[in-house]
Amino acid sequence: MAYHRYDAVIVGAGGAGLMAAIQLAGHANIAVVSKLYPPRSHTGAAQGGISAALGNTEEDHWEWHMFDTVKGGDYLVDQDAAEVLSREAIDAVIELEHMGLPFNRTPEGKIDQRRFGGHTRNYGEAAVRRACYAADRTGHMIIQTLYQQGIKHNVNFFDEYHLLDILFTDDGACCGVVVYEIKTGELHTIHAKTVLIASGGYGRVFKITSNALAGTGDGVAVAYRRGIPLMDMEFYQFHPTGLYKLGILLSEAARGEGGILRNNDGEAFAERYAPTLKDLAPRDMVSRFIHQEVKEGRGIDGKDYVLLDVSHLDPDVIDQKLPDVTDFARVYLGVEPKTEGVPIQPTAHYAMGGIPTNIEGQVIYDPQTSVVPGFYSAGESACVSVHGANRLGTNSLVDLVVFGRRAGRHMLQHIQESDFLPLPPNPEDVARAELDALLSRDSGERATNIRAEMQEMMMDNVSVVRHEPGLIEARDKLAELRNRYDSVYVQDHGKTYNTDLLEALELGAMLDCADTIVHGALARQESRGAHYREDFEARDDKEWLAHSLIYRTDEGLQLRKKPVSITRFEPKERKY
Amino acid sequence: MEVTLRIKRFNPEQDEKPHFEEYQVDVEGTDRVLDALNQVKWIHDGTLTYRRSCAHGICGSDAMRINGRNRLACKILMKDLGKRITIEPLIGFKIEKDLLVDMEPFFDSYKAIKPYLIADDAPSAGERRQSPEERARFDDTTKCILCASCTTACPVTWTSDDFVGPAAIVNAHRFIFDSRDSGALDRLRILNSQSGVWRCRTIFNCTDACPRDIKVTDAIEQVKRALMAEQI
């Protein structure tokens, strides 16, 4: 096995990981590890925009952005973090432009901005143009631009390495990672002063998802196994407009530009539920509107989908501002958006929950926000929490750049102030044992059915609408799947690009993520944001205006509550 | 529908050279080739190896040769391919295993053209200004997802190791024609070398192969014209 030593190791080469890397490059010796080539990261799939109160096309203020973020998150957002997010978004977007990001432009040559769900002027009066964008491939341009900066700054990329373990000292400080070189099957221990987990989300636990096949929660699961609690896992966002049956994302930008959702009667139904923002109400709500329409028999031909209609838009707007999403409809469904509605259904999209951190990206492990020295997380794998119970569109990209940058800067400070800590003896033991177990069996059930059953069950029981019997069934099913996984059979026993082994490892991570989602959803007897309980339809601020921290212990999963930071906006009923 | 996949297989730990194997899959016409490959891997043979991630034509992982043409497996549907489909790795790079090739030379060419904004100091406040017209000049080449479809479709790259290839030129174009960038001369000098843009024979394979519909040959021509103008 190989040994490396770096000041910082960053796991994940999406927006957050690369933004952190760029802060560190030139000042510290760093490694960026990813199971993909960096530009393949899922940040690249983000479409519609990145919000910042630049006020380039109409009046806007960061306080309005902060308010929308807090309200959009159904008041579970930590307001100190939301303030950082919305203040620093402005400067972060400008920094992206300075790095070369090709934003669309206004006639005056400034960054152009458009409307997006839940973003309003003057604390909810009407939709505001806040989303800075590059056609409908904003995420693509962010990942390209940041990767280019990584090349410019000579960042050491470990492309196609998979995270297996995170290393801690006896005192609980983080001191490195163990990764698996996919090309050769070799283990590498990377000894580091600081570790950043920026490994993204876990949408693949659900059957219908916009997430890449790589979105399997590896970093989140490894941290959890190592005793780090996971926060707010029950809050999983379903984006209202996924391509029917495929889940491929059709950006909210389609509605930002004027697109309308229609039911089987051709009715623009969102207006009935959200009279002010209509189709641009936050995603959790629009997904529930669709669920309700389908439930009441107004899905198209009585089926479980509705239509996204952009046919009334100027064809030039479609070609210039929505080229990719309309192409998806043509390629995958054979539908021409300029003349007909596009079949859509809610699709698993974004994890609000994850590894708990403070506003510096430092991982915390208890309700008192005690810090794990040297250990950081940012982006979708982390939970700061700026998204609370429901993330607003565009705020994931803001989160990546703002908190990726903050984490990078804080890591640099930590690197300059601290020495390398000793690695534990035989640091690769846990990783080696996991691999050996998976590769030791010569027969048995493969990962395929276990994965498919998990995805189907999570979709049926733990998606847009939940209730106790369904969640108990989910918990029991996961226990059964876990048992089967414990003797899962990997058919490929080779060392070279063993993707069969990787898929088994990824399934293990997803089962951990699913466990915590279900546990949190069962415990939280209220409805808030993306977590909607049919048996507890009201929000319960008395009991549940609190984050949930879920720990893995020898006695099973344990939940502790953590207070929400409330600085400016007292919780109110959420209406749009 | 029942479809036969004829897949080129190569396991460096066992095989001396690649060979074809056939698999029967049961698919819908609207399934992607990637879905069919997943069916083989998940049900018939876990050792089948290929890259994939986003599954909707954005991440650039799963470029391969499908019925003789470079395509993303996640962006081409079974109904458009017939009942017998031949799937091979991209040509021109070393096969690592099955449909997965060594991408390092591809990224090396990309890095060689300095694929990052080279510019004077940014304004102290606010963004650099750029008109919509200036922005439009390089819009097409910003769409590149680095999948290598174009580069490995180019016959010139099949026979020469050192041609930077269409994808690198596309990415050079993206910066050369960006009004904010001042590194154009530097990049043009690189593309004027032996391994540069003059190796292009205007065959248009690259344009046909691009899953993002980038007018690749056009972009290469624009770079050639810029070089001519510079020489004058």
Side-chain angles (χ1 to χ4, degrees):
Chain A
M1 70 158 267
Y3 170 86
H4 314 261
R5 199 161 112 136
Y6 287 95
D7 291 326
V9 57
I10 293 169
V11 180
L18 292 179
M19 197 70 187
I22 291 163
Q23 311 309 310
L24 291 158
H27 307 288
N29 190 14
I30 64 167
V32 175
V33 176
S34 172
K35 65 178 178 179
L36 307 170
Y37 276 93
R40 318 289 187 220
S41 305
H42 202 56
T43 298
Q47 296 167 355
I50 173 167
S51 278
L54 302 180
N56 278 359
T57 58
E58 59 183 315
E59 184 186 356
D60 200 5
H61 302 281
W62 68 261
E63 292 91 341
W64 296 356
H65 186 185
M66 176 186 170
F67 170 77
D68 291 336
T69 300
V70 170
K71 181 180 173 187
D74 220 347
Y75 295 91
L76 193 70
V77 171
D78 283 318
Q79 296 189 14
D80 55 341
E83 179 164 341
V84 167
L85 179 94
S86 44
R87 270 177 186 270
E88 296 188 8
I90 296 168
D91 170 53
V93 164
I94 297 298
E95 187 177 343
L96 289 174
E97 195 282 330
H98 290 174
M99 288 178 187
L101 200 143
F103 285 108
N104 278 42
R105 300 286 173 157
T106 66
E108 306 79 50
K110 295 180 177 177
I111 295 170
D112 199 11
Q113 299 187 273
R114 65 176 162 206
R115 297 185 178 122
F116 237 80
H119 290 279
T120 71
R121 72 177 150 81
N122 205 17
Y123 309 103
E125 268 181 19
V128 73
R129 290 186 177 84
R130 183 177 293 146
C132 312
Y133 66 101
D136 53 357
R137 53 177 184 278
T138 313
H140 165 77
M141 295 319 327
I142 289 179
I143 195 73
Q144 296 283 324
T145 301
L146 294 177
Y147 182 50
Q148 291 157 2
Q149 291 296 307
I151 291 170
K152 181 181 169 186
H153 292 293
N154 289 314
V155 168
N156 299 298
F157 287 108
F158 284 63
D159 297 333
E160 304 195 313
Y161 286 71
H162 185 87
L163 176 73
L164 288 181
D165 200 11
I166 305 169
L167 303 171
F168 296 91
T169 64
D170 287 344
D171 300 335
C174 191
C175 58
V177 295
V178 178
V179 295
Y180 172 86
E181 185 177 3
I182 301 171
K183 181 177 176 175
T184 62
E186 192 181 358
L187 286 181
H188 295 250
T189 295
I190 306 180
H191 188 183
K193 288 184 183 177
T194 54
V195 172
L196 173 71
I197 299 295
S199 56
Y202 37 85
R204 282 281 155 183
V205 303
F206 296 97
K207 182 179 176 188
I208 303 291
T209 178
S210 64
N211 280 201
L213 285 149
T216 55
D218 313 320
V220 173
V222 172
Y224 174 63
R225 289 173 200 161
R226 281 299 193 168
I228 305 295
L230 300 181
M231 187 159 102
D232 293 344
M233 293 296 282
E234 60 272 34
F235 298 104
Y236 198 90
Q237 177 170 83
F238 282 74
H239 192 295
T241 57
L243 273 192
Y244 184 47
K245 288 189 176 171
L246 289 161
I248 295 169
L249 179 67
L250 295 187
S251 172
E252 201 164 297
R255 283 170 286 138
E257 297 291 351
I260 294 169
L261 295 173
R262 296 189 188 280
N263 62 19
N264 199 42
D265 304 327
E267 183 201 6
F269 57 86
E271 194 171 355
R272 217 182 327 116
Y273 300 92
T276 306
L277 287 190
K278 305 180 181 122
D279 292 277
L280 286 177
R283 290 171 180 173
D284 59 327
M285 299 175 102
V286 179
S287 285
R288 278 196 293 279
F289 305 161
I290 295 170
H291 184 270
Q292 194 64 25
E293 291 299 299
V294 166
K295 191 173 160 190
E296 291 174 12
R298 289 188 296 274
I300 305 303
D301 299 332
K303 293 186 188 159
D304 57 342
Y305 70 94
V306 296
L307 297 177
L308 172 62
D309 181 10
V310 295
S311 63
H312 54 288
L313 301 185
D314 181 343
D316 286 345
V317 168
I318 292 181
D319 289 339
Q320 285 160 25
K321 295 189 171 176
L322 305 167
D324 281 3
V325 298
T326 46
D327 191 46
F328 295 147
R330 289 181 199 116
V331 170
Y332 296 108
L333 297 183
V335 167
E336 176 47 63
K338 285 180 183 168
T339 55
E340 53 192 329
V342 182
I344 56 96
Q345 70 182 137
T347 182
H349 184 57
Y350 187 85
M352 272 72 73
I355 302 169
T357 73
N358 61 21
I359 57 172
E360 309 301 344
Q362 295 174 285
V363 174
I364 57 175
Y365 65 87
D366 62 18
Q368 293 74 43
T369 70
S370 310
V371 164
V372 184
F375 194 31
Y376 295 78
S377 186
E380 192 174 347
S381 59
C383 184
V384 183
S385 154
V386 284
H387 308 305
N390 171 62
R391 172 173 73 74
L392 288 191
T394 74
N395 268 357
S396 62
L397 295 178
V398 187
D399 181 3
L400 296 179
V401 294
V402 167
F403 290 97
R405 190 168 70 167
R406 287 182 80 92
R409 288 175 181 169
H410 200 274
M411 287 164 78
L412 184 58
Q413 191 186 324
H414 185 90
I415 288 164
Q416 287 164 346
E417 290 168 358
S418 357
D419 293 320
F420 280 93
L421 299 171
L423 286 175
N426 306 317
E428 76 281 17
D429 275 1
V430 170
R432 173 77 60 198
E434 186 181 12
L435 292 183
D436 286 351
L438 283 169
L439 293 172
S440 66
R441 303 173 199 117
D442 290 323
S443 64
E445 183 183 21
R446 294 186 53 209
T448 308
N449 290 341
I450 303 173
R451 185 175 54 225
E453 287 176 38
M454 170 193 70
Q455 290 166 333
E456 194 128 336
M457 179 281 291
M458 290 295 285
M459 201 70 204
D460 289 346
N461 293 11
V462 200
S463 58
V464 177
V465 171
R466 303 159 172 181
H467 53 66
E468 186 169 280
L471 291 168
I472 288 173
E473 192 182 290
R475 185 189 61 194
D476 296 346
K477 179 73 181 175
L478 284 172
E480 177 218 314
L481 294 173
R482 166 80 55 188
N483 264 333
R484 285 159 60 187
Y485 180 75
D486 285 343
S487 54
V488 73
Y489 165 53
V490 173
Q491 203 172 1
D492 191 340
H493 283 196
K495 291 222 166 259
T496 313
Y497 284 104
N498 189 340
T499 53
D500 196 30
L501 172 67
L502 277 189
E503 288 187 355
L505 289 165
E506 290 173 331
L507 175 58
M510 287 192 285
L511 285 169
D512 281 334
C513 293
D515 267 347
T516 56
I517 295 169
V518 170
H519 191 82
L522 248 178
R524 188 176 285 270
Q525 296 187 334
E526 66 157 354
S527 291
R528 182 186 297 272
H531 172 67
Y532 185 80
R533 288 278 303 255
E534 273 179 339
D535 41 357
F536 298 93
E537 286 184 302
R539 195 174 83 192
D540 180 0
D541 284 347
K542 200 159 153 274
E543 276 299 312
W544 285 106
L545 184 57
H547 300 292
S548 59
L549 290 174
I550 295 179
Y551 295 77
R552 192 167 90 154
T553 73
D554 293 340
E555 292 83 47
L557 279 63
Q558 284 189 357
L559 188 146
R560 295 170 75 183
K561 289 182 185 174
K562 175 177 171 296
V564 177
S565 151
I566 293 170
T567 58
R568 285 176 184 249
F569 305 111
E570 280 304 313
K572 282 193 223 156
E573 193 193 349
R574 190 162 159 256
K575 275 189 187 159
Y576 288 93
Chain B
M1 59 183 186
E2 286 276 326
V3 173
T4 303
L5 300 185
R6 206 171 144 260
I7 303 176
K8 200 176 216 177
R9 303 292 310 264
F10 174 68
N11 182 344
E13 296 174 39
Q14 294 167 9
D15 305 331
E16 287 199 352
K17 56 179 199 224
H19 62 282
F20 280 96
E21 281 184 33
E22 294 195 355
Y23 304 88
Q24 307 299 318
V25 289
D26 186 16
V27 295
E28 306 280 331
T30 51
D31 280 350
R32 298 157 280 201
V33 169
L34 178 62
D35 296 312
L37 287 173
N38 284 340
Q39 199 180 122
V40 173
K41 182 173 184 65
W42 294 345
I43 296 170
H44 304 291
D45 185 352
T47 68
L48 180 66
T49 301
Y50 45 93
R51 292 191 181 95
R52 82 290 179 277
S53 190
C54 80
H56 64 288
I58 291 299
C59 79
S61 296
D62 62 352
M64 51 189 75
R65 221 166 139 80
I66 299 171
N67 284 350
R69 303 174 93 176
N70 284 359
R71 294 290 181 259
L72 297 180
C74 64
K75 215 181 169 181
I76 185 157
L77 305 187
M78 298 301 284
K79 65 181 164 63
D80 299 322
L81 292 169
K83 294 276 185 197
R84 197 174 153 79
I85 302 170
T86 301
I87 306 176
E88 301 162 89
L90 297 173
I91 296 178
F93 295 136
K94 183 186 160 216
I95 302 174
E96 297 277 10
K97 187 177 175 186
D98 296 337
L99 302 171
L100 190 150
V101 298
D102 178 13
M103 291 291 285
E104 290 301 317
F106 176 80
F107 281 100
D108 287 346
S109 290
Y110 171 68
K111 290 168 190 166
I113 56 88
K114 305 193 174 180
Y116 39 82
L117 191 77
I118 298 171
D120 299 336
D121 287 346
S124 55
E127 63 267 56
R128 288 191 182 87
R129 297 298 178 97
Q130 182 170 56
S131 72
E133 294 71 28
E134 288 169 330
R135 167 67 178 75
R137 285 190 78 194
F138 65 103
D139 183 67
D140 200 39
T141 45
T142 66
K143 296 189 300 195
C144 176
I145 55 174
L146 301 171
C147 68
S149 288
C150 59
T151 294
T152 57
C154 174
V156 180
T157 64
W158 300 342
T159 53
S160 91
D161 284 341
D162 61 345
F163 177 39
V164 293
I169 303 171
V170 160
N171 282 281
H173 177 283
R174 177 253 171 275
F175 289 103
I176 290 168
F177 292 92
D178 185 336
S179 58
R180 301 169 297 172
D181 186 89
S182 53
L185 289 181
D186 224 10
R187 293 192 195 90
L188 286 171
R189 195 162 48 240
I190 294 163
L191 292 177
N192 199 23
S193 72
Q194 274 267 314
S195 57
V197 75
W198 304 112
R199 300 286 281 276
C200 166
R201 291 283 173 266
T202 327
I203 300 163
F204 282 94
N205 274 16
C206 50
T207 303
D208 171 71
C210 179
R212 302 283 292 144
D213 297 327
I214 298 170
K215 298 178 192 71
V216 182
T217 314
D218 226 38
I220 297 173
E221 287 304 305
Q222 286 180 35
V223 172
K224 285 180 181 171
R225 279 200 293 277
L227 264 172
M228 299 286 278
E230 172 55 27
Q231 279 170 351
I232 295 161

